[in-house]
Amino acid sequence: MLRTGFFVIFLLLSSVLCLEDTVEEFQEQLSFKSLRDGRVASTFSFKTLLKDATPRDPQTLALDNDDSQHYTLFPLTLGQILRQYAITELHLTLNAGKWNYDSWGYPDEPGVGVGAELWAWMADGSSLSIDERWQGVRNALAGLFCASLGSLDEQRTTSPRLSFPPEGSLPDWGLPHELRHASHASEHVCTENLTPFLKLLPCKSLSGLAALLNPHRLFDADWHGMSLHVLWRPVGIEMRLNFQLVSDPLRISTNKKQDWSFASLFDRVVEKACPVAKSSRVIVDLPTYGVYRVHPEPSEILNGKAYYDLTNSNQVWDIGTMWPVDFEYPLSKPTEALLPFSVRRSLFGSTQDRGQLSIVVTNNQNETLQMLYLETMPWIVQFYLHTIRVHSDDIPSDNLVSNITYVLPVPHARPATFESVLTLPGHSTLTFTMDVAKTFLRYTEHPPDAQRGWDLPPAFLHPSYSHRTDLPTTLVASIHHPYLLI
Amino acid sequence: MNNRWRPLNFLRPAGDPNLARIKRRKALLSLIARRVSILKVALFIAGYVWMLAIPSSQLDRGVFIDENALQPGQVNTYWNWQQVHDADHFLSQLEFLRDSNATSEQRSQFIMNQFVKIGLSASTQDYEFTGVHKGVNGTNAYAMLSSPRVSGAEAMVISASWLSRTNEGDGTLNLRGVATVLAFSKFVKQYSLWARDLIFVISDGYMDGMQAWLSAYHGETQSNLRAQRLDLTSGVIFTAFNIDYPGHSLSHLGIFHEGVNGRLPNQDLINSFQHIARRTGVPVVLYDHKDEPEQLSWLPEAIRNHHEIKTYAAQARNLWRNVGYQASGRGSGVHGLFHKYRIDAFTMFALPATGPHGFYSLGRIIESTLRTTNNLLERLHASFFFYVMTNFDRFLKIGNYLPSAILISVAMMFGGLQVWVDAAWTKRQSEESKGPEPALMIWARRRRPVLQALFIMIGTHFFGAVTFFLLSSRWYNSISIGPLLLFPVTSLLPLVVPSFIPQNRSDSVAPLSLVLKAFNLCLSSTVISIITVLNFSLAACLAVALGIPLSADSLSSNKAVQMVKYSAYLGLGIGWILWGDMTKRMLWNWDVLGVWLLPFLCVVYFPLTLQAALVCII
């Protein structure tokens, strides 16, 4: 009897494992990078692949006969939302802090705008319009992630023409696909968002790399953000959950060294592997300066990166880097800039009615750089396009801005969308200024804490490289708009 | 409707209610009109007495914290002897710089390097004023701490100017203030509890450096300022502290809060600071008054030592300082420049002494005050923006000081209206009288020359504007006898006005001087009551300077008396021009800092007195 029982259990287990192997795949990866200013950037990436699956065709929404959903690794709660609203591609980021491009370089995950950002590609042609489904998915995700995504309403939603191309592929249903994008800069990210994030992982935070996700340490980091990406490629539906953080070992430790390890950064170590993970890797970007020791000995070193394979290991892992000497902040600016360009965005003017939006972009390389510049603003800030002035190294050169697309704001209803292409000659600084008017607000239209003002959405700059496609392309710059009730 | 059942029936006499109302109003008006002279005097007396009563302890009240979020003094402070050691270390390096006569550029470069070594992003900013004040230039150094987890949308500033505010920037160096800011910037980097970015500014000079930095930060352009664009920017600045520590040690911390053009910071900020400083054990004073006033030695001992008198004397001295800073519009320190951009700021001034406090206490107080403002979710908006501080812990609400100037302004308005009404009437013999009995004197209406009076007024203001233009011209400032040239010109030129005025002294037209006086009084009254809310000290000064003098002017028949009166009014109006130093300082304040006092004096105040002077001679 006992033997039969074991046999049945074995059969069940093996069938589950077989199913996993063939239909669903889970991979986890954690990468570290020591930054120039003594900080350490770490990126957790959890990838689930649903093989041979396709997003729901919106035409079937009316029929209400969707395929039954049986997942072992893919989170059902998310799957239900995606199929309910027939979402082809979805990106959600929840971040806190300002990404310092100049000393941290490009992030591993490009979406680093402060607060919440959500964008989705959906096909038209269903009984439910795209906007109805957009509203539905917003509210469903708000419930799933305990974030105020419900406030990403039509007053914040835009559909930029070029700035957010789909990362995966769009299924060929013969239907046009459309983009919806919205961001909410004043969303505060905290542990109530992390708990639902962990619940989407097959091993939760019990084992594997996710065990390191200790909220006390994550939310003390200088910069932290989580993101969810769902996209479709011909091989299947891919879901990525990422957690990215920049910690300052010089702040959290008492000594003045840049040393870090799992234990020092997260106050935890990896004690057991996640049994369902097909692969589990830790990658340490080896610094190009100084004398240091990476511990323990990596299993492989390739292209300046140390690789550790934690798959199915039962060892206790506490990977880290140690420096023998104290860290010193570099006095001079580095000879080679981390990024091909740098950006500064500000809103000038201390009055209640007028202001000036200014973007200063510096091209750090020899080649001419073209970049797509996207500015979305709630209707409370109105652009005066005729006041656009472009200076290149303090010389007026209005011809450097081209291809302007502008969607007018509708008061109380729709934000403004401004897209244009900026051309930067090699080693030049381009200053783009535009006067703005601050609209008079009705009493009830002020946000809570009216004396604080509004957080305005970030701007997006996408450099278009002709010769390099390896770099992530978005750069975001955020500002705050104090609009006060007197 | 049955009248019997209406309440308060006795107030509603029978008959047409509208007619009754009109009668009532007429009776009331004539009651006031008949007694307007007494009323005027009563208002003047009440106003001036009230003004004198402002320093008394009967009108003020204790300060309190209005914004619950501030929670001052509720945190553990971590500033300790290690940080004092850091500050001492920075101080010795700064002293070396001072001894080696380092230039502005070298100093700012050094300070920037210290910030960079601490791990902050830092930069410098060159600035230079052109035009009249060509020599004013320097280099600011500043650094930004992007606080963990914060979007960088909001910021707080901690600043120190290279020159201390001692005697309005007489050259005393603020080395310990700068060292405090440097050590503090190193200290705050260890903590992740900051809710907004922190900006550290070491401004060059006394006021000029910060003016250049703030203008550049807010993207303001000033035609005579060439300031380098800032390499680093952060968000909206909510609060700012300026640290001034010129001595070796400190005994008290003084609060300086007046901003340029009479602006004041939110009182909660000052209240939190004084609360924290006293809890930390450092006594707080308003300004730098740590001793009791000595001017009372002529009073008998019994009166001198009376509590009420002592308080009055001490508070009157504080008030006098307040009026000096506020009415002149120059503000009481570097913090005053922030107010223009709606940033609440004040200076904590370490009163030089041989002890007992130093970096240790100061650092703790700064840390705790910064933590308090860090608690704020919004900009400071509760508490008071309109107040008069009589002591560090006592203040007057707006309702307790504003009426003094308003009463005087009302008295002037009544006076003006009285003259206006009087100008319309004249007594003349009745034409209808016949027979041998003396002619009946009757009141007859006459025309009032409004347009002429208005032209004269516009002309005087234009004349004031021209005077201002001359005063601020490069030519005037390059010659030393400028005042001696300009004063006679401005005082003699208006004497030609009477010759332009047609002399028709007919009974059917009111004398021009009366109409001019009426308008002059009404305009002065309006100016004073408007200024009361913008800059109370200035309004109070105007009320004192203009109130009685402008009401007392009249045309006299004697030419000599006319000229004496004329010159007295001009002395009151433009006499200050002879104090060349004062004019120079006002011009500097206007040109560099944008203080409105000089243009105000030239374009508003001087013309008002000139109008009164003209009343005496036309």
Side-chain angles (χ1 to χ4, degrees), chain B residues 6-18:
Chain B
R6 290 171 66 174
L8 297 176
N9 215 7
F10 61 94
L11 281 179
R12 297 176 188 278
D16 187 350
N18 289 324

Side-chain angles (χ1 to χ4, degrees), chain B residues 104-374:
Chain B
S104 280
E105 207 158 317
Q106 290 167 329
R107 281 195 317 246
S108 56
Q109 200 65 35
F110 166 79
I111 292 166
M112 184 187 92
N113 284 343
Q114 299 308 309
F115 279 132
V116 171
K117 274 184 201 162
I118 288 165
L120 306 171
S121 24
S123 185
T124 60
Q125 183 210 18
D126 296 324
Y127 66 90
E128 183 188 7
F129 284 88
T130 55
V132 181
H133 297 99
K134 221 173 182 155
V136 182
N137 58 19
T139 312
N140 298 319
Y142 62 98
M144 302 208 177
L145 169 68
S146 297
S147 301
R149 305 185 302 255
V150 173
S151 66
E154 303 150 38
M156 298 187 282
V157 167
I158 297 157
S159 69
S161 54
W162 182 252
L163 293 183
S164 158
R165 66 159 317 287
T166 316
N167 296 327
E168 312 267 319
D170 64 352
T172 313
L173 297 185
N174 181 20
L175 292 183
R176 281 185 168 73
V178 176
T180 310
V181 173
L182 282 169
F184 198 74
S185 69
K186 185 174 179 185
F187 166 68
V188 293
K189 201 169 181 292
Q190 302 168 23
Y191 300 97
S192 65
L193 41 78
W194 305 113
R196 45 191 70 110
D197 284 1
L198 297 175
I199 307 178
F200 304 93
V201 187
I202 307 294
S203 61
D204 208 352
Y206 173 47
M207 298 278 264
D208 43 310
M210 189 53 89
Q211 170 77 5
W213 190 85
L214 278 172
S215 301
Y217 191 90
H218 292 97
E220 302 257 306
T221 44
Q222 193 174 326
S223 60
N224 62 342
L225 168 65
R226 210 177 298 138
Q228 202 183 336
R229 203 181 281 137
L230 298 185
D231 297 335
L232 308 165
T233 50
S234 181
V236 181
I237 303 171
F238 277 10
T239 54
F241 307 126
N242 186 53
I243 294 151
D244 205 327
Y245 187 0
H248 172 268
S249 296
L250 65 111
S251 57
H252 296 67
L253 279 171
I255 300 171
F256 285 85
H257 62 288
E258 291 88 355
V260 294
N261 294 326
R263 288 167 189 261
L264 295 174
N266 190 288
Q267 213 194 35
D268 266 342
L269 189 68
I270 305 170
N271 295 348
S272 314
F273 164 71
Q274 63 95 358
H275 181 86
I276 289 164
R278 286 198 296 164
R279 275 179 71 112
T280 315
V282 180
V284 178
V285 290
L286 197 58
Y287 308 114
D288 45 11
H289 295 153
K290 60 178 170 184
D291 314 309
E292 289 190 359
E294 286 163 7
Q295 294 94 329
L296 296 176
S297 46
W298 49 274
L299 279 174
E301 184 125 347
I303 300 181
R304 198 167 61 210
N305 289 338
H306 188 268
H307 174 67
E308 192 75 17
I309 300 288
K310 270 169 84 173
T311 319
Y312 185 89
Q315 300 202 357
R317 186 174 59 165
N318 285 336
L319 211 62
W320 185 245
R321 284 289 283 276
N322 173 50
V323 169
Y325 291 128
Q326 212 188 3
S328 70
R330 67 180 194 271
S332 53
V334 176
H335 63 273
L337 299 166
F338 285 91
H339 297 172
K340 184 174 156 196
Y341 303 99
R342 246 199 112 208
I343 301 165
D344 295 298
F346 72 99
T347 293
M348 37 184 108
F349 180 70
L351 263 66
T354 47
H357 302 290
F359 284 135
Y360 183 78
S361 323
L362 186 64
R364 292 201 149 213
I365 291 166
I366 298 170
E367 183 194 354
S368 189
T369 314
L370 198 68
R371 290 284 299 277
T372 287
T373 51
N374 190 50

Side-chain angles (χ1 to χ4, degrees), chain A residues 8 19 24-25 99 129 148 213 232 332 387 400 425 442 452:
Chain A
V8 170
L19 200 70
E24 293 176 46
E25 250 179 49
W99 188 271
S129 76
S148 36
L213 292 170
W232 177 75
S332 56
T387 61
L400 294 183
R442 292 174 193 157
R452 184 179 173 272

Side-chain angles (χ1 to χ4, degrees), chain B residues 493-567:
Chain B
L493 216 55
L495 285 175
V496 303
V497 172
S499 58
F500 286 110
I501 293 164
Q503 298 289 333
N504 53 338
R505 299 222 179 266
S506 74
D507 268 357
S508 60
V509 180
L512 180 60
S513 62
L514 273 187
V515 180
L516 184 60
K517 181 178 175 180
F519 283 3
N520 177 22
L521 278 172
C522 291
L523 180 62
S524 314
S525 157
T526 316
V527 166
I528 291 174
S529 33
I530 291 173
I531 302 276
T532 44
V533 278
L534 298 176
N535 186 343
F536 175 73
S537 302
L538 182 60
C541 292
L542 285 179
V544 171
L546 300 180
I548 288 179
L550 256 51
S551 308
D553 58 348
S554 62
L555 183 64
S556 82
S557 49
N558 187 338
K559 275 274 174 211
V561 176
Q562 277 187 11
M563 286 325 291
V564 168
K565 280 187 176 175
Y566 175 81
S567 33

Side-chain angles (χ1 to χ4, degrees), chain A residues 97-98 114 219-222 224 248 251 329-331 344 348-350 394 449-452 455 480 482 484, chain B residues 116-119 148-151 153-154 189-190 192 217-219 229-231 236 341-342 377-379 381:
Chain A
K98 188 162 88 174
V114 68
F219 296 110
D220 183 53
D222 285 13
H224 53 81
D248 191 354
R251 172 160 64 78
Y329 290 100
L331 258 183
R344 207 164 66 235
F348 291 127
S350 53
D394 293 328
D449 299 322
Q451 294 285 339
R452 184 179 173 272
D455 281 296
H480 173 70
L484 301 175
Chain B
V116 171
K117 274 184 201 162
I118 288 165
R149 305 185 302 255
V150 173
S151 66
E154 303 150 38
K189 201 169 181 292
Q190 302 168 23
S192 65
Y217 191 90
H218 292 97
R229 203 181 281 137
L230 298 185
D231 297 335
V236 181
Y341 303 99
R342 246 199 112 208
L377 205 59
E378 305 174 62
R379 225 187 252 270
H381 61 280

